[in-house]
Amino acid sequence: YWDKLPDFEELEIVMYVDPAIKAGKNNDFSAITILGQHRKTKQKYVIDGSIHKVLPDDLFLVAIDKLKQYPTDKIGFEVTQAQSYMRQKLEERLWENQIYTPVDGVISKGQKHERIVSLEPEVKCGHILFNSSNIRYNNQIKDYNKGAKWDDAPDSLYGAARLVQGVQSLKFYDRGLLF
């Protein structure tokens, strides 16, 4: 766990949303990961990780609330099945709230289990540090194994970790060249 988070200005910050299609008791959780990566050291911090059993409209409200708290550079939204429609609805809600952060639709490739376990080295050696107050989210990550009932938090963390790597590549451009 991290003790002290660097100033937000020192971090590239992304939000990754892994929405559940249904909000029933036995359905998947929706998971939101706010991940910061230090611009110089590349240390990753789970600033906020949360899991929710809510309908899409309520999930959008949670995401908007988090976006008002954290200066996010980019949003990733998992788009499989009906989720691409949900992404469009999220974008509409963001505009209504005057939040203009770009939302990338992300299609997860490969086996979910392999994606998740690929994070293990980064977690084990402390390259990804967690927020100790995100108990339910952290427990889902700690308890993850191939047969685990819930994998939404670790899958969201994987998405955020890949997304934050994509943010860097945009920062190498001299913005003066664009105008």
Side-chain angles (χ1 to χ4, degrees):
Y1 298 112
W2 48 265
D3 297 326
K4 184 182 180 314
L5 194 61
D7 291 337
F8 288 150
E9 297 80 44
E10 298 175 54
L11 301 172
E12 300 283 357
I13 300 175
V14 299
M15 170 190 275
Y16 191 85
V17 182
D18 183 358
I21 300 292
K22 299 187 193 116
K25 189 169 62 125
N26 294 319
N27 292 89
D28 286 348
F29 286 89
S30 290
I32 298 177
T33 301
I34 308 278
L35 186 71
Q37 180 171 262
H38 195 278
R39 294 177 197 277
K40 291 192 176 86
T41 67
K42 304 302 183 211
Q43 174 69 54
K44 293 182 181 94
Y45 301 86
V46 177
I47 298 168
D48 186 82
S50 58
I51 53 175
H52 310 271
K53 293 257 184 169
V54 294
L55 293 168
D57 283 337
D58 294 324
L59 181 65
F60 302 155
L61 294 174
V62 171
I64 287 164
D65 185 49
K66 290 178 185 304
L67 288 165
K68 288 178 179 176
Q69 292 176 59
Y70 307 110
T72 307
D73 296 298
K74 192 180 207 179
I75 301 166
F77 193 92
E78 191 164 300
V79 290
T80 48
Q81 303 164 354
Q83 293 164 328
S84 56
Y85 174 74
M86 289 168 63
R87 172 190 160 207
Q88 183 183 341
K89 288 292 169 201
L90 171 63
E91 288 176 321
E92 290 170 14
R93 293 294 172 321
L94 294 177
W95 276 83
E96 289 164 10
N97 284 272
Q98 297 170 346
I99 298 171
Y100 306 112
T101 308
V103 180
D104 284 3
V106 178
I107 298 170
S108 296
K109 295 183 172 53
Q111 293 293 315
K112 186 185 279 195
H113 176 69
E114 275 68 37
R115 289 196 309 263
I116 293 170
V117 297
S118 74
L119 288 175
E120 197 173 354
E122 280 191 274
V123 171
K124 278 204 162 117
C125 71
H127 286 164
I128 298 176
L129 297 175
F130 294 84
N131 181 337
S132 60
S133 64
N134 301 151
I135 295 165
R136 291 173 61 224
Y137 176 94
N138 294 344
N139 284 341
Q140 216 182 76
I141 289 174
K142 275 192 263 183
D143 297 342
Y144 179 77
N145 61 61
K146 193 167 181 134
K149 182 168 171 61
W150 308 114
D151 58 14
D152 311 289
D155 199 29
S156 176
L157 175 61
Y158 174 85
R162 298 292 83 72
L163 190 65
V164 81
Q165 290 171 343
V167 170
Q168 261 82 45
S169 58
L170 301 175
K171 300 293 180 186
F172 290 120
Y173 291 111
D174 176 357
R175 294 193 178 271
L177 297 173
L178 298 175
F179 302 103

